[in-house]
Amino acid sequence: MKKILLAVLVSALGLSFQPAMAQQESAALVPLPSLDDFSKGKDGWAFGLGLGVEYETAYEGSDEFGFELQPAGAVQWRSGDNIFYFAGEAFGWRGLRDDVWLLEALVGFEEGREEGDSDEGWLDGLGEQEEGFQLVLQARRALTNDWRYWLVSRVVTGGDGNLGLFGVGRRFGDQNDGSGHEVNVVAVFHDSEYANNGFGINQVQAAASGLNATTLSGGLRSVGIDYSFRHNLNENWQTYAEALFEYYSSEVRKSPIARSDYEAEVGIGFIYIF
């Protein structure tokens, strides 16, 4: 897909910079580019502040795309093999156990969907979804001692049902400071409540929108691939890129809300590490 290719091109450009931070100078909790770690291998407070731009679908199932500025970075506290962090609308913890288990728990704020999210009016009559908090639990199990390959699982739960993710990942590069490239291939499942919150249409919504009433069952939601890149330009400046492609299951694609068979996004940005 063009958007993932764009992120790969961005990462290739990033590799043209000469590394300004020696590998032995800092060790991330785990050497994965998808995870912020501003501690430089030291216990105590760490701060990163930056800005990125994303090109993404307007809402789940949308065929409309747009650019959006996103803050980047986090406030972190590291103590040995544990990092507590506050990043934007999420507060969480991640910890390394036996050098092969990475466990993570966070509470994050989820923005609801609004009718105005569609410039073309495809959401008119469906009403607005409430904002709320979600609990996210994640575990990664390294298959090699250098975190070259791993298994990943994630559970998202809240007031709108439950979602689960299972997959495998691979890291490229030999850095231990969290820079480099990373790819994950995953399968995503949701229960009926989560599925209908995103893609279902009840009788009231059908009457107001003119769309067919739609009820989904739980099961496979999608298969997807995500890509992460991170590069240290110097001791303080860091650049990153990320891309996501998610292809919906046949049941999701039948929903009138799913005007596209897939969801995609690509983003790039810079972070200053204090």
Side-chain angles (χ1 to χ4, degrees), residues 59-225:
Y59 56 90
E60 292 182 343
S62 174
D63 58 358
E64 303 169 56
F65 287 80
F67 289 95
E68 184 175 357
L69 289 176
Q70 292 284 353
V75 178
Q76 301 176 340
W77 169 264
R78 179 165 178 172
S79 177
D81 288 335
N82 299 279
I83 290 180
F84 299 88
Y85 61 88
F86 176 74
E89 298 177 335
F91 177 80
W93 159 85
R94 67 175 63 109
L96 183 65
R97 298 295 179 266
D98 298 326
D99 293 327
V100 296
W101 283 101
L102 177 67
L103 307 177
E104 185 166 8
L106 68 91
V107 175
F109 183 76
E110 177 67 17
E111 297 180 356
R113 188 184 67 199
E114 300 179 355
E115 292 187 0
D117 288 342
S118 172
D119 293 335
E120 301 295 330
W122 301 123
L123 298 177
D124 290 353
L126 296 181
E128 298 184 357
Q129 295 177 347
E130 295 183 357
E131 302 172 335
F133 289 92
Q134 292 181 330
L135 173 65
V136 180
L137 304 174
Q138 178 171 266
R140 299 198 198 194
R141 173 56 162 89
L143 301 179
T144 56
N145 57 11
D146 60 355
W147 282 86
R148 180 70 60 200
Y149 300 93
W150 61 85
L151 301 176
V152 60
S153 63
R154 182 184 307 153
V155 174
V156 180
T157 184
D160 298 323
N162 304 286
L163 178 142
L165 176 153
F166 306 93
V168 295
R170 188 186 193 282
R171 178 174 71 96
F172 301 87
D174 298 321
Q175 303 93 321
N176 66 3
D177 58 1
S179 63
H181 306 260
E182 172 190 327
V183 173
N184 292 274
V185 179
V186 299
V188 185
F189 301 84
H190 53 197
D191 62 15
S192 59
E193 183 179 359
Y194 199 100
N196 285 291
N197 182 68
F199 296 99
I201 301 174
N202 60 35
Q203 295 295 338
V204 174
Q205 291 172 321
S209 65
L211 301 174
N212 293 329
T214 303
T215 301
L216 283 71
S217 58
L220 179 67
R221 169 192 171 93
S222 62
V223 292
I225 181 172

Side-chain angles (χ1 to χ4, degrees), residues 28-55:
L29 184 66
V30 286
L32 300 182
S34 61
L35 302 176
D36 287 329
D37 185 348
F38 307 133
S39 67
K40 300 181 180 180
K42 302 175 183 178
D43 286 355
W45 289 104
F47 304 89
L49 181 63
L51 186 68
V53 58
E54 295 181 352
Y55 183 70

